[in-house]
Amino acid sequence: MSITTCVFDAYGTLFDVSAAARQAAEDPDNAALRPHWQTLASHWRLKQLQYSWLRAITGAHTDFWQVTGEGLDWALEAVGLAGDAALRQRLLDLYWQLQAYPEVPAMLRALKDAGLETAILSNGSPDMLDGAVRSAGLGDVLDDVLSVESVGIFKPDHRVYDLVGQRFGCPPEAVLFVSSNGWDAAAAAGYGFRTAWVNRAGEPVDRLPWTPDHILSDLTGIPELAEV
């Protein structure tokens, strides 16, 4: 079956989650962050994901903005900057303005020009995602932005992946699902989507019951995978 719909995870896939820490470290007032920004960015992202999984498992759902703040608090304490309230606020403010990876606009435009449906499917809350899409100028190349908030549980619960078929009326095998998270791409493959893992860091494949159909170093090759 031909691909009709290309669906993307947001954070780390379309949007560079390290950008907030990198930009904050460039501020003259944040000299203390400069030696630690990469470590902080890594800790922040990991805790953000871990907290989403734990909340999903325990039924303690909250919106992704709270999870993002809690992950940041852990990361700031881990690098010895927990007492810097101004830095914390600056990092959170920047998270609403994350930069898209350089290849993203042209890649999405190629998909749209070929007549494919495009969407985001994300753990992010609707207002967070709206801010990121507007900041990156991607609104005209996305048909929809789907948030887990409509089902009240984080990925990789199957109810999240169900949102794609409910919105676009397509079977799973007509969907190319793209994520920078290996576990997300694997779970989506188990659900029945065709999947691509954007493995920018060259990490090993996760030991899970399913594996992504494709592994890429960036998003440039997505139109080719979608047979555009």
Side-chain angles (χ1 to χ4, degrees):
M1 179 175 290
S2 297
I3 298 294
T4 64
T5 308
C6 291
V7 179
F8 299 84
D9 175 57
Y11 299 111
T13 304
L14 298 180
F15 306 113
D16 182 0
V17 290
S18 297
R22 183 172 61 248
Q23 288 179 255
E26 295 170 356
D27 293 347
D29 295 337
N30 293 331
L33 175 61
R34 286 175 204 145
H36 307 294
W37 77 263
Q38 290 174 304
T39 302
L40 181 133
S42 178
H43 284 330
W44 188 3
R45 179 58 172 164
L46 179 60
K47 284 298 172 181
Q48 187 187 50
L49 291 173
Q50 288 178 341
Y51 292 163
S52 72
W53 300 330
L54 289 167
R55 285 182 174 276
I57 291 168
T58 58
H61 185 73
T62 188
D63 68 68
F64 201 58
W65 186 239
Q66 181 173 334
V67 171
T68 298
E70 291 167 348
L72 175 58
D73 290 338
W74 191 98
L76 285 167
E77 184 174 347
V79 298
L81 296 172
D84 193 333
L87 173 60
R88 181 184 189 273
Q89 189 59 53
R90 174 65 170 152
L91 288 163
L92 289 174
D93 289 345
L94 285 169
Y95 210 88
W96 289 79
Q97 308 165 31
L98 293 179
Q99 301 166 5
Y101 287 104
E103 74 274 17
V104 167
M107 179 273 300
L108 288 173
R109 174 54 61 194
L111 296 174
K112 290 307 304 166
D113 287 349
L116 275 70
E117 304 273 16
T118 60
I120 284 173
L121 178 65
S122 174
N123 279 342
S125 56
D127 53 349
M128 289 177 68
L129 293 167
D130 180 64
V133 169
R134 284 189 290 105
S135 179
L138 300 180
D140 64 336
V141 286
L142 290 167
D143 292 299
D144 211 340
V145 178
L146 306 175
S147 167
V148 302
E149 285 307 300
S150 63
V151 290
I153 193 166
F154 292 118
K155 296 180 193 175
D157 190 275
H158 70 88
R159 286 168 286 181
V160 176
Y161 302 123
D162 284 344
L163 293 172
V164 176
Q166 292 167 6
R167 167 60 178 82
F168 292 103
C170 55
E173 58 269 24
V175 175
L176 177 63
F177 179 79
V178 185
S179 181
S180 63
N181 300 302
W183 57 269
D184 190 16
Y191 178 82
F193 291 154
R194 287 189 255 181
T195 59
W197 175 30
V198 185
N199 184 11
R200 296 180 186 271
E203 296 177 347
V205 175
D206 283 314
R207 272 54 173 181
L208 292 170
W210 324 277
T211 55
D213 297 304
H214 308 280
I215 301 176
L216 308 174
S217 59
D218 62 32
L219 292 162
T220 306
I222 293 300
E224 182 179 355
L225 291 185
E227 299 180 352
V228 170

